Each structure stands twice: as structure tokens, then as C-alpha cells.
Amino acid sequence: MKAELRVENISVSFPKTGQILDSISLHVNQGEFVSIIGPSGSGKSTIFQSIGGVLLPEKGEIFLGDKKITGETGHISYMPQHNSLLPWRNVLQNVLLGQELHKKTNLDEAKSWLSKVGLSEYEKAFPHQLSGGMKQRVAFIRALISPASLMLLDEPFSALDEFTRLDMQKWLLSIWEKEKKSILFITHNIEEALFLSDRIYILSERPAKIVKEIKVEFPRPRNEELLMDDYFQKMKKEIFAELKGSR
Ligand SMILES: Nc1ncnc2c1ncn2[C@@H]1O[C@H](COP(=O)(O)OP(=O)(O)OP(=O)(O)O)[C@@H](O)[C@H]1O
Ligand SMILES: [Mg+2]
């Protein structure tokens, strides 16, 4: 299968912090769900900034299909880690932003997704009136309805409690199975990565290298019973040990 996204040997350094990414290569196949897991501050969000084109790596190239997109914005839909909602736009206007950038807005689609995540009553509310979890849901819907076929999600559920998180994970899987988007997902949470992904990349401490690539072959559709599965628990322990060893 032809990879939809290919990141080839990218390296990034910042003047004060020094080298952050050390020759990172990864790929996401068409329709695949891939996660990146790694220590705090290792450079995960920096990888996304490079793929999103807001940061130009000093070395390496990034391809979407056959097209070289290194340093170019506008090719993928990107949910950044920290609140990216525009404070002067209400919820509905924020959600429509991703489509506006592609000059193709669909008001009904935006409203119907807001309703599915329980935010119908907040269409006219402004970001400062929302909780952290609600803001995450708005930013997530914005990324989802953007027409790009690859979504980058940077810890999208970190502000949610355990139960809401599980609901959102199941919901994300059900949408992903229907919409056939390709997803690259950052998380700190080993269980979340295992539950959602087809493959997981484990990063080292800074400067980040990929220390391991793990295939996750649990059948789909997956539900929460998987979390109790012996083999699931075994993989969770292995990834934990791998992360501990990479510190
Ligand atoms: N624009 C920048 N200028 C200088 N240093 C930066 C810049 N952006 C990120 N860094 C540094 O790069 C390192 C990696 O940051 P990054 O946000 O990629 O880590 P992360 O793995 O996403 O961390 P977390 O898990 O906490 O989200 C950090 O030490 C950070 O201070
Ligand atoms: Mg980050």
C-alpha cells in the first residue's frame, strides 16, 4: 500500500534548546490510524508543526502522496495541542474555520457534529465560556470536518475525564471507520494508543529518535472489553518498559 504521509529523516533544532528531532522518519498509510507516544518535552508537537508546515526542518523532507509538502501549510487538518480556538469567533464560527480555509463551508454538517458532541446549545458561545474539554471537542470537530484526508491530532482528549475520554475514543473510532480518514495521533497514554491504533511509534527523550515501531493487530471494531484482555495488558507493560528504558 502506498503511504499517504511520509516523513523522511527530519531534524529540527532551536537556538536555545538545541537539537529536538534527530532524523525522524515515519509514515501513515491511506486510512491508517497511527500514534506517536513519547516522554514529555521530547519533541512530539514539533513533529506535527513540521508536518503542518508551520516549522521548516533543517534537514529531511515530508511527502503527502507524491507531493513534497515540506514547509507548506494547508495540506492537512491539524488539531494543535493547546487551545487553538479564535477568541473573537463563537463556537460555530470556530468550527467552520477549517472549511473556510478550503473555501467550502457546510453549515448543516458543522451543526450536526456539534450536536453529536453535545454542544448544540453552545453554538453561539465564545471560547472563554467553555470548559477545557468543551474547547477540545470544538477544535476536534473543526479538524474533522476540514476536507483534508489526513488528520493530525495532538493529545486531543487530554482535558477529559476518564469516562468522557473513553466515550470520545469510541466515537473517534466509529467516525474513523466510516470516514476513512488517515490519522496521526499524539498521546501520553499507552492504553489510549493501544486501543485506537494500527501502529505506534515510540519516541526517545530529546533529541527525539524513533526507538520502536509496534504493530497493534487487535481486530476491529474494538470496544472497552479489549482493555481487560491479557494480551492487551501484556503489550501495555512492554510499551511502558520501552518508554522507561528510553529515558
Ligand atoms: N519555537 C520554539 N523555540 C524554542 N524551543 C522550542 C520551540 N518549540 C518547542 N521548543 C522546545 O522543544 C522541545 C520539544 O517540545 P515539544 O512541544 O515538541 O514536546 P512534546 O513532546 O510535544 O511535549 P509534551 O508532551 O509536553 O506536549 C521543548 O524543550 C520545547 O521547549
Ligand atoms: Mg506536545
Side-chain angles (χ1 to χ4, degrees):
M1 189 191 292
K2 198 154 180 239
E4 163 140 44
L5 172 77
R6 268 185 303 131
V7 172
E8 292 187 351
N9 299 308
I10 59 166
S11 295
V12 170
S13 311
F14 293 118
K16 285 207 178 109
T17 20
Q19 189 168 24
I20 309 293
L21 303 182
D22 181 7
S23 215
I24 297 283
S25 295
L26 56 85
H27 68 276
V28 181
N29 292 326
Q30 189 74 47
E32 197 180 22
F33 199 126
V34 178
S35 292
I36 297 175
I37 194 162
S40 202
S42 57
K44 302 180 295 297
S45 299
T46 304
I47 297 178
F48 273 18
Q49 284 163 17
S50 307
I51 299 171
V54 289
L55 187 79
L56 182 65
E58 68 231 30
K59 199 172 112 309
E61 297 290 356
I62 298 162
F63 296 88
L64 194 62
D66 292 330
K67 196 173 156 44
K68 197 193 279 184
I69 59 160
T70 323
E72 293 182 11
T73 58
H75 296 288
I76 47 149
S77 89
Y78 178 11
M79 176 180 167
Q81 181 170 15
H82 296 295
N83 182 19
S84 58
L85 303 181
L86 301 175
W88 58 89
R89 286 188 154 216
N90 69 27
V91 164
L92 186 60
Q93 291 164 337
N94 261 292
V95 162
L96 288 168
L97 188 71
Q99 294 187 331
E100 278 170 23
L101 296 174
H102 289 85
K103 300 192 172 44
K104 184 183 148 239
T105 51
N106 184 335
L107 196 62
D108 290 340
E109 188 186 22
K111 288 186 171 199
S112 121
W113 280 114
L114 282 172
S115 147
K116 282 182 204 157
V117 296
L119 290 174
S120 276
E121 286 167 27
Y122 291 87
E123 278 176 15
K124 299 267 154 47
F126 287 87
H128 73 272
Q129 297 167 303
L130 308 179
S131 74
M134 288 156 91
K135 284 184 212 162
Q136 280 194 333
R137 279 178 272 166
V138 174
F140 179 72
I141 297 301
R142 178 174 65 194
L144 179 74
I145 67 172
S146 133
S149 62
L150 175 71
M151 274 174 94
L152 304 184
L153 302 173
D154 194 346
E155 304 200 39
F157 306 142
S158 59
L160 306 175
D161 67 70
E162 195 87 4
F163 296 105
T164 318
R165 184 188 261 255
L166 183 61
D167 280 345
M168 288 297 284
Q169 289 166 352
K170 288 193 289 188
W171 181 75
L172 172 59
L173 284 183
S174 69
I175 298 167
W176 169 73
E177 276 154 18
K178 274 200 235 75
E179 309 270 316
K180 294 284 160 228
K181 295 225 179 200
S182 310
I183 296 182
L184 187 57
F185 188 97
I186 291 176
T187 178
H188 274 121
N189 187 312
I190 302 173
E191 199 164 76
E192 177 168 79
L194 276 171
F195 184 58
L196 297 174
S197 316
D198 294 315
R199 274 188 304 121
I200 301 173
Y201 289 105
I202 300 181
L203 285 192
S204 68
E205 291 261 272
R206 210 175 75 215
K209 286 195 198 50
I210 287 173
V211 290
K212 197 159 190 182
E213 180 188 335
I214 294 170
K215 272 203 150 92
V216 187
E217 293 179 312
F218 300 113
R220 298 184 188 269
R222 298 177 183 170
N223 60 39
E224 59 258 60
E225 278 168 34
L226 179 60
L227 305 176
M228 304 299 154
D229 180 89
D230 286 344
Y231 190 60
F232 186 94
Q233 292 294 334
K234 182 170 170 278
M235 285 187 86
K236 194 172 148 185
K237 281 187 201 136
E238 277 173 19
I239 295 176
F240 184 81
E242 194 69 54
L243 278 168
K244 216 168 151 205
S246 77
R247 290 169 71 90

